[in-house]
């Protein structure tokens, strides 16, 4: 699995200042790594939206060998 993302994802924080990257993102990816790339993208996107308000734009690409 290859994730390409902008700094909006790596700098994303919740209201308490806890970062989304690396621990929450890595834990989520370990839990869903068997899913197709589209599902991985959807789950990460939903997790980002539920983690805290976005303060920057976020671009995310998921590439997975079939």
């Amino acid at each position: 699995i290859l994730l390409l993302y902008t700094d909006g994802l790596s700098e994303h924080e919740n209201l308490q200042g806890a970062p989304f990257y690396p621990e929450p993102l890595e834990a989520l990816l370990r839990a869903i790594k068997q899913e197709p790339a589209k599902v991985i993208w959807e789950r990460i996107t939903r997790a980002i939206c539920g983690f805290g308000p976005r303060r920057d734009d976020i671009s995310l690409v998921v590439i997975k060998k079939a």
Side-chain angles (χ1 to χ4, degrees), residues 15-55:
L15 292 175
Q16 292 75 33
F20 183 72
Y21 174 85
E23 287 83 13
L25 176 59
E26 290 175 358
L28 175 60
L29 191 55
R30 278 192 297 276
I32 61 174
K33 65 185 176 185
Q34 301 300 341
E35 299 291 343
K38 180 180 178 182
V39 173
I40 293 172
W41 182 90
E42 290 170 348
R43 295 280 306 274
I44 292 173
T45 301
R46 275 190 257 140
I48 290 168
C49 291
F51 192 74
R54 290 183 310 198
R55 296 181 181 97

Side-chain angles (χ1 to χ4, degrees), residues 3-28:
L3 296 181
L4 304 172
Y5 51 86
T6 58
D7 65 337
L9 187 146
S10 59
E11 296 172 357
H12 186 59
E13 298 177 340
N14 64 16
L15 292 175
Q16 292 75 33
F20 183 72
Y21 174 85
E23 287 83 13
L25 176 59
E26 290 175 358
L28 175 60

